[in-house]
Amino acid sequence: MTVEFGVLGSVEGSIDGRPVALGHARQRGVLAVLLVDVDHPVTVDQLIDRAWGHHPPRQARSTLRGYLSRLRQALAATREAVIARQPGGYVLTTAGTVTVDMHSFRRLAAQARAAGDDARAAALFEQSLRLWRAEPFAALDTPWLNALRDALVQERLAAQLDLGDLRLRLGQHAALLPELSARAAAHPLDERLAGQLMLALHRNGRSAEALDHYHRTRDRLARELGIDPGPALRKIQTAVLRQDTAPGAVPQPGAPAQPSPPPAQLPLSVAAFTGRDGELARLDRLLSAAAGAGPVRPAAVVISAVSGTAGVGKTALAVHWAHRVREAFPDGQLYVNLRGFVPGGSITDPAEAVRGFLDALGVPPARIPNGLEAQAGLYRSLLAGRRVLVVLDNARDAEQVRPLLPGAPGCLALVTSRNRLTGLAATEGAHLLSVDLLTPGQARDLLAGRLGPHRTAAEPSAVNEIVTRCAGLPLALAIVAARAADQLHLPLAGLAGELREAGTRLNALDGGDPATRIRAVFSWSYRALSPDAARLLRLLGLHPGPDTALPGVAALAGLPPARTSTLVTELTRGNLLTEHTPGRYALHDLLRIYATELVTTHDSDATRRAATHRMLDHYLHTAHAADALLTPRRRVPISLAPAQLGAAPEELRDRREALDWFTAENPVALAAIEQAPAGFETHTWQLATAVATSLNRQGRWPALAAAHTTALNAAQRANDKTGQANSHHGLALVQTRLDHLADARAHYELAMDLFKELDDHNGQARIHKHLGRLSSDRGDYREALGHAHQAFTHYKAAHNMLGQAIALDDIDRYHVRLGDHRQTALSYGRQALALVEEIGDINGQAYTWSSLSYIHHHLGQYGQAIDSHRQAIDLYRKTDDRYHEATSLTDLGDTHHAAADPTAALYAWTQALAITDEISLPGTAPLRAKILHNLDRHPADVPPSPENNPDLRP
């Protein structure tokens, strides 16, 4: 007997080809829920949530029983599909030839992707897509079904795209054109689809239409997402420009030009993990159910939310399971600690987490759009068609998680939280898994796994008492086991006695629940430390988190690195400190609370302030030095007080080390800015200024805006007008980046008033410089020129020769814009060059040569302009200023083109484009757009060799 169910359209069923009467829409919805998880039990609560959403009937359970009874009657003619009652829920069991079109579609698509033959794969994809009749679950409307419907639509699109690639390889471009045109109209931002349509048009002799579609796609990407087309789409455009029609001459639209390695962000798994067999089995079943009959991999977006009290081992469970199944996710594993319950600290903003994922997925910063919504859209697009495991650890609530969830089939999201995330279950169909305290048997197994079965079997009474005192909390048991493993000579009875004694003394700290009872264990473990290690643990309660490297710990303690390393080893050996990645250490949330209590109780105000002062000095002075390595000529000149003895700022040797330091320590610096105590307001605003360049280059403008806002508030509390002025200046720069120009101008004007009050000529000059550039951007060059003259006057009053040169450069450029090239512009440019040569500033010389080349170009003096470009490019290469090297190469290409040398122009533009792709800074997007526009308008057959162009040799 053949039984067929369909959900890819209206919910339908048939037995031997005869339709089955399945009742009204809500009853069909109940059947649909069972069909999605066919052969796997669904709880009553899940059935109600999924079938009714937020508005279940008053007697939902009895209504549900009635629906299920009528469905059983409808299926009574067959024993192949039976709705069975199980403890806590129901299951639709199948046998024989029962099929569900959704699962058949997924199975056939998986077989197609595994097929080695293009024709065979295309046939399987076509068979899978013929199963679709309309939108899934037609006429049904609940949050869970709607979310699943959206996921299935994405799966169909992924299959259509894969089939499109195959049919293009098989030479079926003519037959493919109509459906590609319709699909591209429905998905205008899909670059892979745009590439397929371009190839089909091009191979059908319609290259002009292919190029027109490229330009429309590029314009729409820039307008709606703020990004340029990716390398694959650009290569297709280049092939069309060169009239290359060979099927193998260009990459497939969906293939990246330079694939980055799959992310592998999972933290280290816990050694000797034990005691969670039931939870691991449930997660395994979840993965297997999603995989269907194919290989072990999810065929739909699956979300599991793991909840439980602090210290119960949620993270250990999630990470251990993730490592077990990572082979099922060959496209990578993403991980982020959302820090939802970090005491005294800020939780991870979803925008920061999404940005971190985009970095891990190899997206150049220049292609990352502004705003959480656009970034989340790009993130989900990147995951489409991939099999990626996403671990979202320590979430506060569902709202923090939602922007981070994948939106395409093939991915699985594993969320941990102290809260039970019922909102995710209701709206996203998450599977909830609660992690409880260990049973006594599981706790004994944990101790045996860490201490060895012979040792625990020798003292069963002591083991039982340790298990009781630790209340089944894995973190407490791990600490006890670490102490016992470190002192092999000490009987377990002695350890149990110490734990009993600590519990007696700390009755006042025992609130009757595991989260407070663990303080007894912490206290006992703390007392076992050496005096110096105990002091260090206390002082770590002052660190802002989320983690720290050894130099930061040494500064906090005021100790040499070698001695600090010894103490850190003692803390990690006792499970009081975790080396979660090589060289970086973190405190568990509960331990951070405990350490903070200890340092407040046992250390004086003077001791705490001295440690905090050393720590903040360490991060401030290191950040300031790192910033100087990144931008020696553009950084805001701030005067730091000498570092405290023991702060030991790190000695960074070059730009690479500076970049690495900022990458690792920016989260710490941002936390320090937010949490700096009263009395350290100067550190707050100066640290925000010091990290500004790094955060700006990474495109982390919301985080930088928050840091400057906190800095401004701190400076206002302290009535520090220098701090206020610099914070307003920083906020103005960020608002300019975010295209909030009215807010930017307001902050510039407030900064100007304060710099005037302080009689700070350098500050006033900087504000005039930026106001001039705002005026220039809106085309008011006369006003911009006035600001540039004001900037020069103030730089001259401050005896700042480099600033004067920068102002003169701006003046000559604005004169060019106003049409006054020869009489005035060259004069100012030569004055600027004389100044920077006098002070020996190579960056300033490079910038001034660029200005002179600009002037000569507009005077029609192309030979002199090319010579000036050569000077600038050579100096930019000496200083490793890749962005301005690309800018000068672009301008050099313009000059060659104006001088009627298109071959040299093409080579210069191509070199510039390669540099922008290599450095991938957020600010390169407009430059890349200009280069691509030039290449589009002025293609050449063969780029010249650099050997024939000595001025272009790297």
Side-chain angles (χ1 to χ4, degrees), residues 635-659:
R635 63 186 175 88
V636 176
I638 58 175
S639 179
L640 304 185
Q644 294 289 300
L645 184 65
E650 295 184 53
E651 296 180 2
L652 306 174
R653 293 169 295 184
D654 52 33
R655 182 174 176 270
R656 180 72 263 162
E657 288 190 0
L659 287 171

PDB file of all heavy atoms in Angstrom, residues 635-659:
ATOM      1  N   ARG A 635      47.202  60.474  14.234  1.00  0.00           N
ATOM      2  CA  ARG A 635      46.598  60.220  15.526  1.00  0.00           C
ATOM      3  C   ARG A 635      46.387  61.522  16.284  1.00  0.00           C
ATOM      4  O   ARG A 635      47.129  62.490  16.124  1.00  0.00           O
ATOM      5  CB  ARG A 635      47.454  59.252  16.351  1.00  0.00           C
ATOM      6  CG  ARG A 635      48.826  59.778  16.681  1.00  0.00           C
ATOM      7  CD  ARG A 635      49.631  58.686  17.378  1.00  0.00           C
ATOM      8  NE  ARG A 635      50.999  59.108  17.622  1.00  0.00           N
ATOM      9  CZ  ARG A 635      51.378  59.760  18.703  1.00  0.00           C
ATOM     10  NH1 ARG A 635      50.500  60.100  19.613  1.00  0.00           N
ATOM     11  NH2 ARG A 635      52.647  60.100  18.870  1.00  0.00           N
ATOM     12  N   VAL A 636      45.358  61.540  17.138  1.00  0.00           N
ATOM     13  CA  VAL A 636      45.059  62.722  17.936  1.00  0.00           C
ATOM     14  C   VAL A 636      46.158  62.902  18.971  1.00  0.00           C
ATOM     15  O   VAL A 636      46.460  61.971  19.734  1.00  0.00           O
ATOM     16  CB  VAL A 636      43.688  62.565  18.635  1.00  0.00           C
ATOM     17  CG1 VAL A 636      43.422  63.752  19.529  1.00  0.00           C
ATOM     18  CG2 VAL A 636      42.593  62.417  17.591  1.00  0.00           C
ATOM     19  N   PRO A 637      46.823  64.052  19.022  1.00  0.00           N
ATOM     20  CA  PRO A 637      47.915  64.240  19.991  1.00  0.00           C
ATOM     21  C   PRO A 637      47.362  64.421  21.402  1.00  0.00           C
ATOM     22  O   PRO A 637      46.798  65.461  21.733  1.00  0.00           O
ATOM     23  CB  PRO A 637      48.610  65.505  19.488  1.00  0.00           C
ATOM     24  CG  PRO A 637      47.557  66.267  18.747  1.00  0.00           C
ATOM     25  CD  PRO A 637      46.610  65.238  18.180  1.00  0.00           C
ATOM     26  N   ILE A 638      47.488  63.397  22.230  1.00  0.00           N
ATOM     27  CA  ILE A 638      47.081  63.508  23.621  1.00  0.00           C
ATOM     28  C   ILE A 638      48.299  63.264  24.494  1.00  0.00           C
ATOM     29  O   ILE A 638      49.215  62.535  24.129  1.00  0.00           O
ATOM     30  CB  ILE A 638      45.950  62.521  23.978  1.00  0.00           C
ATOM     31  CG1 ILE A 638      46.380  61.066  23.693  1.00  0.00           C
ATOM     32  CG2 ILE A 638      44.675  62.850  23.237  1.00  0.00           C
ATOM     33  CD1 ILE A 638      45.357  60.043  24.125  1.00  0.00           C
ATOM     34  N   SER A 639      48.307  63.894  25.637  1.00  0.00           N
ATOM     35  CA  SER A 639      49.445  63.799  26.556  1.00  0.00           C
ATOM     36  C   SER A 639      49.081  62.853  27.690  1.00  0.00           C
ATOM     37  O   SER A 639      48.124  63.100  28.434  1.00  0.00           O
ATOM     38  CB  SER A 639      49.784  65.191  27.101  1.00  0.00           C
ATOM     39  OG  SER A 639      50.860  65.122  28.014  1.00  0.00           O
ATOM     40  N   LEU A 640      49.829  61.761  27.819  1.00  0.00           N
ATOM     41  CA  LEU A 640      49.561  60.773  28.857  1.00  0.00           C
ATOM     42  C   LEU A 640      50.419  61.047  30.082  1.00  0.00           C
ATOM     43  O   LEU A 640      51.592  61.419  29.966  1.00  0.00           O
ATOM     44  CB  LEU A 640      49.869  59.358  28.353  1.00  0.00           C
ATOM     45  CG  LEU A 640      49.170  58.877  27.081  1.00  0.00           C
ATOM     46  CD1 LEU A 640      49.516  57.407  26.843  1.00  0.00           C
ATOM     47  CD2 LEU A 640      47.673  59.059  27.166  1.00  0.00           C
ATOM     48  N   ALA A 641      49.843  60.812  31.251  1.00  0.00           N
ATOM     49  CA  ALA A 641      50.639  60.825  32.476  1.00  0.00           C
ATOM     50  C   ALA A 641      51.554  59.601  32.476  1.00  0.00           C
ATOM     51  O   ALA A 641      51.230  58.583  31.865  1.00  0.00           O
ATOM     52  CB  ALA A 641      49.723  60.808  33.696  1.00  0.00           C
ATOM     53  N   PRO A 642      52.704  59.669  33.154  1.00  0.00           N
ATOM     54  CA  PRO A 642      53.596  58.502  33.178  1.00  0.00           C
ATOM     55  C   PRO A 642      52.879  57.280  33.749  1.00  0.00           C
ATOM     56  O   PRO A 642      52.032  57.388  34.640  1.00  0.00           O
ATOM     57  CB  PRO A 642      54.746  58.956  34.098  1.00  0.00           C
ATOM     58  CG  PRO A 642      54.702  60.450  34.066  1.00  0.00           C
ATOM     59  CD  PRO A 642      53.258  60.815  33.904  1.00  0.00           C
ATOM     60  N   ALA A 643      53.212  56.107  33.205  1.00  0.00           N
ATOM     61  CA  ALA A 643      52.599  54.868  33.686  1.00  0.00           C
ATOM     62  C   ALA A 643      53.095  54.544  35.090  1.00  0.00           C
ATOM     63  O   ALA A 643      54.248  54.815  35.447  1.00  0.00           O
ATOM     64  CB  ALA A 643      52.939  53.722  32.735  1.00  0.00           C
ATOM     65  N   GLN A 644      52.214  53.945  35.879  1.00  0.00           N
ATOM     66  CA  GLN A 644      52.576  53.531  37.239  1.00  0.00           C
ATOM     67  C   GLN A 644      53.631  52.437  37.191  1.00  0.00           C
ATOM     68  O   GLN A 644      53.693  51.637  36.247  1.00  0.00           O
ATOM     69  CB  GLN A 644      51.338  53.000  37.962  1.00  0.00           C
ATOM     70  CG  GLN A 644      50.264  54.043  38.226  1.00  0.00           C
ATOM     71  CD  GLN A 644      50.685  55.038  39.283  1.00  0.00           C
ATOM     72  OE1 GLN A 644      50.960  54.657  40.424  1.00  0.00           O
ATOM     73  NE2 GLN A 644      50.763  56.303  38.902  1.00  0.00           N
ATOM     74  N   LEU A 645      54.446  52.392  38.224  1.00  0.00           N
ATOM     75  CA  LEU A 645      55.433  51.337  38.336  1.00  0.00           C
ATOM     76  C   LEU A 645      54.714  49.981  38.373  1.00  0.00           C
ATOM     77  O   LEU A 645      53.800  49.781  39.168  1.00  0.00           O
ATOM     78  CB  LEU A 645      56.262  51.529  39.611  1.00  0.00           C
ATOM     79  CG  LEU A 645      57.413  50.532  39.824  1.00  0.00           C
ATOM     80  CD1 LEU A 645      58.468  50.706  38.738  1.00  0.00           C
ATOM     81  CD2 LEU A 645      58.029  50.723  41.212  1.00  0.00           C
ATOM     82  N   GLY A 646      55.123  49.060  37.519  1.00  0.00           N
ATOM     83  CA  GLY A 646      54.487  47.745  37.449  1.00  0.00           C
ATOM     84  C   GLY A 646      53.448  47.634  36.353  1.00  0.00           C
ATOM     85  O   GLY A 646      52.981  46.531  36.062  1.00  0.00           O
ATOM     86  N   ALA A 647      53.038  48.764  35.727  1.00  0.00           N
ATOM     87  CA  ALA A 647      52.043  48.697  34.648  1.00  0.00           C
ATOM     88  C   ALA A 647      52.619  47.990  33.425  1.00  0.00           C
ATOM     89  O   ALA A 647      51.900  47.288  32.708  1.00  0.00           O
ATOM     90  CB  ALA A 647      51.567  50.094  34.268  1.00  0.00           C
ATOM     91  N   ALA A 648      53.895  48.144  33.188  1.00  0.00           N
ATOM     92  CA  ALA A 648      54.622  47.427  32.131  1.00  0.00           C
ATOM     93  C   ALA A 648      53.885  47.401  30.802  1.00  0.00           C
ATOM     94  O   ALA A 648      53.476  46.330  30.331  1.00  0.00           O
ATOM     95  CB  ALA A 648      54.935  45.996  32.586  1.00  0.00           C
ATOM     96  N   PRO A 649      53.692  48.564  30.150  1.00  0.00           N
ATOM     97  CA  PRO A 649      53.083  48.544  28.817  1.00  0.00           C
ATOM     98  C   PRO A 649      53.880  47.654  27.870  1.00  0.00           C
ATOM     99  O   PRO A 649      55.103  47.556  27.960  1.00  0.00           O
ATOM    100  CB  PRO A 649      53.142  50.017  28.380  1.00  0.00           C
ATOM    101  CG  PRO A 649      53.258  50.793  29.647  1.00  0.00           C
ATOM    102  CD  PRO A 649      54.032  49.926  30.590  1.00  0.00           C
ATOM    103  N   GLU A 650      53.182  47.012  26.956  1.00  0.00           N
ATOM    104  CA  GLU A 650      53.862  46.111  26.024  1.00  0.00           C
ATOM    105  C   GLU A 650      54.658  46.907  24.989  1.00  0.00           C
ATOM    106  O   GLU A 650      54.237  47.981  24.548  1.00  0.00           O
ATOM    107  CB  GLU A 650      52.833  45.210  25.326  1.00  0.00           C
ATOM    108  CG  GLU A 650      52.126  44.269  26.279  1.00  0.00           C
ATOM    109  CD  GLU A 650      51.196  43.316  25.565  1.00  0.00           C
ATOM    110  OE1 GLU A 650      51.659  42.634  24.613  1.00  0.00           O
ATOM    111  OE2 GLU A 650      50.011  43.254  25.934  1.00  0.00           O
ATOM    112  N   GLU A 651      55.799  46.380  24.601  1.00  0.00           N
ATOM    113  CA  GLU A 651      56.657  47.015  23.605  1.00  0.00           C
ATOM    114  C   GLU A 651      56.377  46.367  22.251  1.00  0.00           C
ATOM    115  O   GLU A 651      56.828  45.253  21.967  1.00  0.00           O
ATOM    116  CB  GLU A 651      58.129  46.868  24.001  1.00  0.00           C
ATOM    117  CG  GLU A 651      58.468  47.584  25.305  1.00  0.00           C
ATOM    118  CD  GLU A 651      59.934  47.438  25.678  1.00  0.00           C
ATOM    119  OE1 GLU A 651      60.683  46.813  24.880  1.00  0.00           O
ATOM    120  OE2 GLU A 651      60.323  47.933  26.748  1.00  0.00           O
ATOM    121  N   LEU A 652      55.628  47.077  21.434  1.00  0.00           N
ATOM    122  CA  LEU A 652      55.253  46.574  20.113  1.00  0.00           C
ATOM    123  C   LEU A 652      56.256  47.094  19.093  1.00  0.00           C
ATOM    124  O   LEU A 652      56.594  48.274  19.088  1.00  0.00           O
ATOM    125  CB  LEU A 652      53.832  47.017  19.764  1.00  0.00           C
ATOM    126  CG  LEU A 652      52.767  46.653  20.808  1.00  0.00           C
ATOM    127  CD1 LEU A 652      51.431  47.277  20.437  1.00  0.00           C
ATOM    128  CD2 LEU A 652      52.633  45.146  20.926  1.00  0.00           C
ATOM    129  N   ARG A 653      56.696  46.206  18.202  1.00  0.00           N
ATOM    130  CA  ARG A 653      57.801  46.565  17.317  1.00  0.00           C
ATOM    131  C   ARG A 653      57.358  47.139  15.975  1.00  0.00           C
ATOM    132  O   ARG A 653      58.076  47.936  15.376  1.00  0.00           O
ATOM    133  CB  ARG A 653      58.680  45.337  17.069  1.00  0.00           C
ATOM    134  CG  ARG A 653      59.425  44.855  18.308  1.00  0.00           C
ATOM    135  CD  ARG A 653      60.069  43.499  18.071  1.00  0.00           C
ATOM    136  NE  ARG A 653      59.053  42.467  17.863  1.00  0.00           N
ATOM    137  CZ  ARG A 653      59.328  41.175  17.703  1.00  0.00           C
ATOM    138  NH1 ARG A 653      60.593  40.762  17.710  1.00  0.00           N
ATOM    139  NH2 ARG A 653      58.351  40.296  17.536  1.00  0.00           N
ATOM    140  N   ASP A 654      56.190  46.731  15.499  1.00  0.00           N
ATOM    141  CA  ASP A 654      55.820  47.177  14.158  1.00  0.00           C
ATOM    142  C   ASP A 654      54.305  47.189  14.020  1.00  0.00           C
ATOM    143  O   ASP A 654      53.558  46.870  14.942  1.00  0.00           O
ATOM    144  CB  ASP A 654      56.448  46.283  13.087  1.00  0.00           C
ATOM    145  CG  ASP A 654      56.165  44.794  13.309  1.00  0.00           C
ATOM    146  OD1 ASP A 654      55.073  44.478  13.825  1.00  0.00           O
ATOM    147  OD2 ASP A 654      57.028  43.965  12.981  1.00  0.00           O
ATOM    148  N   ARG A 655      53.895  47.576  12.824  1.00  0.00           N
ATOM    149  CA  ARG A 655      52.470  47.719  12.543  1.00  0.00           C
ATOM    150  C   ARG A 655      51.726  46.400  12.700  1.00  0.00           C
ATOM    151  O   ARG A 655      50.606  46.374  13.204  1.00  0.00           O
ATOM    152  CB  ARG A 655      52.329  48.248  11.116  1.00  0.00           C
ATOM    153  CG  ARG A 655      50.907  48.501  10.642  1.00  0.00           C
ATOM    154  CD  ARG A 655      50.943  49.154   9.266  1.00  0.00           C
ATOM    155  NE  ARG A 655      49.605  49.323   8.738  1.00  0.00           N
ATOM    156  CZ  ARG A 655      48.980  48.414   8.001  1.00  0.00           C
ATOM    157  NH1 ARG A 655      49.592  47.268   7.734  1.00  0.00           N
ATOM    158  NH2 ARG A 655      47.759  48.641   7.542  1.00  0.00           N
ATOM    159  N   ARG A 656      52.352  45.283  12.287  1.00  0.00           N
ATOM    160  CA  ARG A 656      51.697  43.983  12.395  1.00  0.00           C
ATOM    161  C   ARG A 656      51.412  43.638  13.848  1.00  0.00           C
ATOM    162  O   ARG A 656      50.320  43.173  14.180  1.00  0.00           O
ATOM    163  CB  ARG A 656      52.613  42.917  11.773  1.00  0.00           C
ATOM    164  CG  ARG A 656      52.080  41.494  11.809  1.00  0.00           C
ATOM    165  CD  ARG A 656      50.944  41.315  10.843  1.00  0.00           C
ATOM    166  NE  ARG A 656      49.647  41.429  11.473  1.00  0.00           N
ATOM    167  CZ  ARG A 656      48.519  41.648  10.827  1.00  0.00           C
ATOM    168  NH1 ARG A 656      48.511  41.789   9.534  1.00  0.00           N
ATOM    169  NH2 ARG A 656      47.374  41.718  11.472  1.00  0.00           N
ATOM    170  N   GLU A 657      52.388  43.861  14.730  1.00  0.00           N
ATOM    171  CA  GLU A 657      52.176  43.579  16.141  1.00  0.00           C
ATOM    172  C   GLU A 657      51.107  44.506  16.723  1.00  0.00           C
ATOM    173  O   GLU A 657      50.331  44.095  17.587  1.00  0.00           O
ATOM    174  CB  GLU A 657      53.490  43.722  16.911  1.00  0.00           C
ATOM    175  CG  GLU A 657      54.481  42.594  16.634  1.00  0.00           C
ATOM    176  CD  GLU A 657      55.661  42.611  17.585  1.00  0.00           C
ATOM    177  OE1 GLU A 657      55.719  43.496  18.470  1.00  0.00           O
ATOM    178  OE2 GLU A 657      56.541  41.730  17.448  1.00  0.00           O
ATOM    179  N   ALA A 658      51.075  45.742  16.250  1.00  0.00           N
ATOM    180  CA  ALA A 658      50.037  46.664  16.720  1.00  0.00           C
ATOM    181  C   ALA A 658      48.649  46.174  16.328  1.00  0.00           C
ATOM    182  O   ALA A 658      47.710  46.177  17.130  1.00  0.00           O
ATOM    183  CB  ALA A 658      50.291  48.062  16.158  1.00  0.00           C
ATOM    184  N   LEU A 659      48.507  45.733  15.086  1.00  0.00           N
ATOM    185  CA  LEU A 659      47.210  45.218  14.622  1.00  0.00           C
ATOM    186  C   LEU A 659      46.804  43.982  15.417  1.00  0.00           C
ATOM    187  O   LEU A 659      45.638  43.836  15.812  1.00  0.00           O
ATOM    188  CB  LEU A 659      47.279  44.895  13.133  1.00  0.00           C
ATOM    189  CG  LEU A 659      47.321  46.090  12.182  1.00  0.00           C
ATOM    190  CD1 LEU A 659      47.621  45.617  10.763  1.00  0.00           C
ATOM    191  CD2 LEU A 659      46.009  46.855  12.213  1.00  0.00           C
TER     192      LEU A 659
END
